[in-house]
Amino acid sequence: MGVSSQEPLTFDLKSLPPVFVLQSHLQSDDLHKWEDLIFKLGGSLTYNATEARVFIGKVSQKKRAAFDLRAKEVWTEESDLPEVKSPEESEGGEPPRKKARLEGSEHDVKPEQRRESSSSSTTLSEATVSDTQQPHLSWPDLTNHVLVLKLAWLESCIKQDHLVPYKPFVVYTAKIIAAPQDEKPPKALADTASYVKTSPSAVPTSSSRVSNVTSCTSILERAKAEAATLPSTPTSYPTRRRYGDHGQTSPQSTKHPPKLHRTTTSEFEDLAANPLPPLPDWATGPNAAYSCCRSTPMHSPNAAFIEQLSKIKEARLLTLDDIGVRAYSSSIASLSAYPHKIRHPEEITRLPACESKIATLWSEWFASAEDDTDRHIQNVIDLDNDADLQHLKLFWNIWGVGPETARKFYFERGWKDLDDVVEFGWASLTRVQQIGVKYYDEFIEKIPRAEVEVISDVITRHARLVLDIKPEQEGTNEDVDCVIVGGYRRGKDLCGDVDVVLSHRDENKTANLVVDIVRSLEGEGWITHTLTLNTTSTDRGQATLPYHGSHRGHGFDSLDKALCVWQDPNFEATEEGAKNPNIHRRVDIIISSWRTVGCAVLGWSGGTTFQRDIRQFVAKTRGLKFDSSGVRDRGNGLVLDLEAARPKRKDAINEIYKGKIPEGKDGDEWDDGDTWQDRERRLMDGLGFGYRDPRERCTG
């Protein structure tokens, strides 16, 4: 946060409307420093977000800004701000004085605000500055609007030592609205910050314009400075406070503070006697952040702790905190790959994507009991007991319902269970959602591996029927290949659904194959409902998805596929017209051309974080775009064939890799096999992160 200038700050923030500093992406110490800086520069700082009209923070996306405001019970809808009146339009033609107050009358100021000392008051009526004192900066009328600015605006003001235009730093502008009926704000899952107020002082003159503005650098010094301003006997109001600090207990103040790990002498002695295990090779170097560059087994020695973090991640998902979901996903992936049983928080902080917050949670979890089965995190217990999250999770588990729709069911429509959905909203559901409700209990049931294999065999049999594969062709290059992917391939004992990739070496036979297979399976009674049937790949000639063009929006997967409801039609009827008692399952059938079968298999085999990191890794380190339909060069948009059997000539390999042959490879080492396994292996080598068994891609 430091700024190198040696000169004191000469501007102030008295013209700033009531301001609230958003905590997202800020450590507690940094949050305190920015708040203290705003206060000491005369800004109308408030801890009550509903009073604020300007929000400053490390946010850059409208969606995140709106979420942070909702979490503080500030409900908004995006809107342009009112136009700022020019001096000529002001009353009497006089240059307007910048006022940070929201109302025009002194009577609008709260009584406790009027009791403030005139020398230190930060009420809005006194927060004015004339044009002769500092550069002109007009704020719009924010009576019914809010403005979210990047923290970079304040940094720029400090760097230039005057107020700079705020418009280039605007993240979100919105109109304040009433909270939707029965809606509750999303729960802020971030650790609560404990605030220590500081007394106002003169504008700083130190060498660092930010860090030295907050001269009390330690907790004890800050506490002493605050204590010096407090009266020796209780009074009806505090002697000093910031705007909006009315002596009321904030909702967060009743929460339990996070338990911090306290290092003891015995722990130091233990570390001396039993030093931490060496870091795995994958945890260091430029690729440490990418889970696709390391092996992650299905079963981790730290599975009990990871399960607790997974519950927090799920809660973040249901509260639409996309950034939190990504952060916890990365931490979980890193911990899952760690080969040692964690016994000290320092083991966590040295891992990629695992900072002090994760170490603090581990310390609390580890200290809560003697055995992993009994250990817990209080926040997770609170989440498990949260009635709102329980209802949201119920609706989220309906097939075809995402987190946003689940929130609408619960908060907007007031539904509490599946009976409410059926009774009050059945006609408003999509067909897919209706099927998801109808088979809710059955879809929740996991599928054993043996049953997955039976379903795959049935699909393979029907694919051979459709393609007219003769018995003597089975197992040869004339046969269809059926690969079970998803959780089954990663080694799960129980799967949520069945995912299979079908391919054939003759590209003419994979065009529209999904339609024929589904029709055949329906005819024999295996598929009871077809939820989705896409011929996306066939429609574009089974070519790799264009880097730019009209095919945007298909996401990571753009292959022909059918998402189906499956039921074994074979059962022993005890009476005429008996209903089939066999359970319904979810089955996905994906079709890939042989040319890119390795991409399809890779794209459907890894955990969610593993797949995300593949795309990021190849984009940032190789300039490539990867999806399940193929690989393209981001520079020129050309398709790269990394799956084909490699040529023996080294110069040809150089041509493929633009002169950068993967380490340990030369023209004599390439395998020229043509199975789907060979193609997937060559693809992973060619993408630069190397092959690893599917059972080592279990990032979650």
Side-chain angles (χ1 to χ4, degrees):
M1 288 176 56
V3 179
S4 59
S5 175
Q6 299 290 329
E7 298 297 326
L9 292 173
T10 60
F11 77 98
D12 60 51
L13 298 175
K14 292 179 181 179
S15 66
L16 191 65
V19 60
F20 183 96
V21 182
L22 298 171
Q23 187 177 353
S24 298
H25 307 303
L26 285 176
Q27 298 294 330
S28 295
D29 287 345
D30 290 339
L31 179 68
H32 297 325
K33 289 178 181 179
W34 285 115
E35 289 174 335
D36 291 341
L37 174 61
I38 293 171
F39 182 52
K40 292 187 176 185
L41 292 178
S44 299
L45 181 70
T46 177
Y47 290 149
N48 184 348
T50 60
E51 295 178 346
R53 291 300 180 268
V54 173
F55 295 82
I56 298 178
K58 271 192 173 182
V59 292
S60 58
Q61 298 179 351
K62 294 180 181 179
K63 185 175 180 181
R64 179 57 195 246
F67 172 84
D68 283 351
L69 296 185
R70 290 200 308 273
K72 298 297 182 182
E73 301 186 29
V74 180
W75 300 91
T76 62
E77 64 180 11
E78 186 174 4
S79 170
D80 293 334
L81 297 179
E83 292 293 331
V84 179
K85 289 185 178 181
S86 64
E88 293 75 12
E89 296 172 322
S90 302
E91 294 184 8
E94 297 179 2
R97 292 168 63 84
K98 315 307 175 303
K99 294 188 177 183
R101 67 174 298 168
L102 301 182
E103 307 296 337
S105 171
E106 180 178 339
H107 300 291
D108 293 323
V109 181
K110 297 182 180 180
E112 58 266 37
Q113 291 174 337
R114 290 199 293 268
R115 289 196 291 263
E116 295 293 337
S117 168
S118 61
S119 63
S120 61
S121 173
T122 56
T123 58
L124 295 180
S125 60
E126 298 173 338
T128 61
V129 59
S130 68
D131 294 322
T132 60
Q133 291 174 307
Q134 62 183 38
H136 184 88
L137 184 62
S138 298
W139 297 93
D141 180 8
L142 296 177
T143 304
N144 300 311
H145 291 74
V146 295
L147 173 64
V148 180
L149 298 177
K150 296 178 182 178
L151 194 60
W153 173 75
L154 187 52
E155 293 174 331
S156 182
C157 291
I158 295 167
K159 184 176 181 180
Q160 301 184 40
D161 198 15
H162 65 77
L163 294 178
V164 301
Y166 64 83
K167 289 186 178 180
F169 303 92
V170 171
V171 177
Y172 179 60
T173 60
K175 181 171 63 177
I176 300 173
I177 62 174
Q181 189 176 6
D182 298 327
E183 178 76 56
K184 295 182 180 180
K187 298 203 173 179
L189 301 179
D191 293 337
T192 56
S194 58
Y195 295 96
V196 181
K197 294 183 289 184
T198 60
S199 302
S201 61
V203 175
T205 59
S206 64
S207 61
S208 176
R209 293 187 170 186
V210 179
S211 61
N212 288 339
V213 164
T214 55
S215 57
C216 298
T217 57
S218 70
I219 296 298
L220 289 177
E221 289 173 343
R222 291 167 66 90
K224 289 177 182 178
E226 172 63 10
T229 68
L230 298 178
S232 57
T233 58
T235 59
S236 60
Y237 54 90
T239 57
R240 294 199 188 278
R241 65 184 170 219
R242 305 177 189 186
Y243 182 85
D245 183 7
H246 306 312
Q248 300 173 353
T249 302
S250 67
Q252 288 187 346
S253 66
T254 59
K255 295 182 179 180
H256 299 291
K259 298 179 180 179
L260 301 178
H261 173 75
R262 302 180 185 276
T263 304
T264 64
T265 303
S266 60
E267 286 182 336
F268 281 115
E269 293 174 349
D270 180 62
L271 282 177
N274 302 289
L276 301 180
L279 269 175
D281 292 340
W282 56 261
T284 59
N287 299 330
Y290 302 107
S291 61
C292 60
C293 296
R294 56 179 179 253
S295 295
T296 309
M298 175 64 66
H299 303 291
S300 166
N302 302 293
F305 175 60
I306 292 171
E307 182 181 2
Q308 298 277 294
L309 296 183
S310 297
K311 290 184 177 182
I312 299 177
K313 182 185 79 170
E314 182 179 274
R316 299 271 179 156
L317 177 68
L318 294 175
T319 53
L320 307 184
D321 182 4
D322 295 339
I323 295 175
V325 171
R326 290 176 65 91
Y328 273 98
S329 297
S330 297
S331 299
I332 289 170
S334 190
L335 290 169
S336 298
Y338 190 60
H340 310 291
K341 176 78 171 178
I342 296 172
R343 60 182 180 84
H344 195 279
E346 287 188 17
E347 292 183 76
I348 296 176
T349 55
R350 60 184 187 161
L351 294 177
C354 294
E355 298 180 351
S356 58
K357 181 175 182 179
I358 302 300
T360 297
L361 291 173
W362 180 88
S363 297
E364 178 187 347
W365 172 81
F366 186 77
S368 64
E370 295 295 327
D371 187 80
D372 283 2
T373 56
D374 299 324
R375 288 178 171 138
H376 62 273
I377 299 172
Q378 183 60 46
N379 186 26
V380 174
I381 294 178
D382 294 340
L383 294 174
D384 287 340
N385 295 328
D386 188 290
D388 292 346
L389 288 176
Q390 290 175 2
H391 291 300
L392 291 174
K393 186 175 180 180
L394 172 73
F395 295 136
W396 177 52
N397 281 327
I398 299 173
W399 205 91
V401 172
E404 292 190 21
T405 303
R407 294 181 66 82
K408 290 180 180 178
F409 284 2
Y410 179 55
F411 289 120
E412 295 183 12
R413 303 184 183 182
W415 299 341
K416 299 294 181 65
D417 51 38
L418 296 183
D419 290 339
D420 287 345
V421 176
V422 174
E423 182 176 357
F424 302 111
W426 185 256
S428 67
L429 300 182
T430 66
R431 172 179 170 273
V432 170
Q433 291 168 349
Q434 289 177 342
I435 294 172
V437 172
K438 183 177 181 179
Y439 300 118
Y440 184 90
D441 293 332
E442 295 180 68
F443 287 171
I444 290 292
E445 289 289 326
K446 299 296 184 181
I447 310 174
R449 293 180 66 85
E451 186 178 347
V452 172
E453 293 163 1
V454 169
I455 292 173
S456 174
D457 290 341
V458 172
I459 295 173
T460 302
R461 177 169 61 83
H462 279 262
R464 286 168 174 164
L465 287 174
V466 167
L467 295 175
D468 194 25
I469 304 296
K470 307 301 181 185
E472 60 272 16
Q473 294 176 317
E474 295 180 9
T476 69
N477 286 350
E478 300 298 322
D479 195 9
V480 64
D481 280 87
C482 182
V483 186
I484 307 174
V485 289
Y488 173 91
R489 191 164 181 240
R490 296 196 298 276
K492 285 188 175 181
D493 295 327
L494 298 171
C495 304
D497 59 5
V498 180
D499 301 316
V500 297
V501 172
L502 292 171
S503 188
H504 193 279
R505 287 165 178 79
D506 185 348
E507 194 165 286
N508 293 323
K509 294 188 175 182
T510 50
N512 284 312
L513 177 60
V514 66
V515 177
D516 297 332
I517 290 178
V518 169
R519 184 182 296 116
S520 178
L521 290 167
E522 286 177 339
E524 203 170 280
W526 294 96
I527 292 179
T528 61
H529 304 79
T530 301
L531 304 174
T532 301
L533 181 63
N534 294 330
T535 56
T536 310
S537 180
T538 295
D539 294 343
R540 64 171 188 272
Q542 301 187 78
T544 297
L545 188 70
Y547 181 43
H548 296 296
S550 60
H551 291 278
R552 289 183 184 179
H554 290 295
F556 177 68
D557 181 66
S558 58
L559 301 176
D560 290 0
K561 57 182 176 293
L563 313 183
C564 311
V565 179
W566 183 280
Q567 185 185 39
D568 188 342
N570 303 306
F571 68 98
E572 186 175 344
T574 57
E575 58 184 29
E576 186 176 354
K579 185 179 179 180
N580 187 344
N582 293 327
I583 192 170
H584 290 82
R585 301 298 197 185
R586 274 275 302 107
V587 175
D588 296 342
I589 303 172
I590 304 103
I591 309 296
S592 172
S593 69
W594 188 255
R595 177 176 47 82
T596 57
V597 66
C599 292
V601 172
L602 175 60
W604 280 80
S605 292
T608 303
T609 307
F610 188 90
Q611 301 304 128
R612 180 199 73 190
D613 285 355
I614 288 178
R615 301 193 295 275
Q616 292 183 346
F617 174 81
V618 300
K620 293 180 179 180
T621 66
R622 301 233 159 191
L624 304 178
K625 177 184 178 293
F626 167 74
D627 66 67
S628 57
S629 71
V631 181
R632 283 188 183 268
D633 189 309
R634 288 179 176 269
N636 53 34
L638 296 179
V639 175
L640 296 181
D641 186 0
L642 303 181
E643 297 184 22
R646 297 301 174 215
K648 297 296 184 181
R649 294 184 301 107
K650 189 169 184 177
D651 58 343
I653 299 174
N654 269 321
E655 183 178 348
I656 292 175
Y657 286 98
K658 304 176 184 178
K660 297 179 181 179
I661 301 177
E663 184 178 353
K665 297 290 184 182
D666 61 38
D668 296 327
E669 296 180 7
W670 291 110
D671 181 6
D672 59 357
D674 196 37
T675 65
W676 63 264
Q677 294 97 328
D678 295 325
R679 300 183 77 87
E680 182 193 38
R681 183 182 295 272
R682 286 193 291 261
L683 171 68
M684 296 177 75
D685 285 336
L687 290 175
F689 52 85
Y691 179 81
R692 51 190 32 82
D693 189 273
R695 293 173 183 264
E696 298 176 352
R697 309 176 198 174
C698 306
T699 57

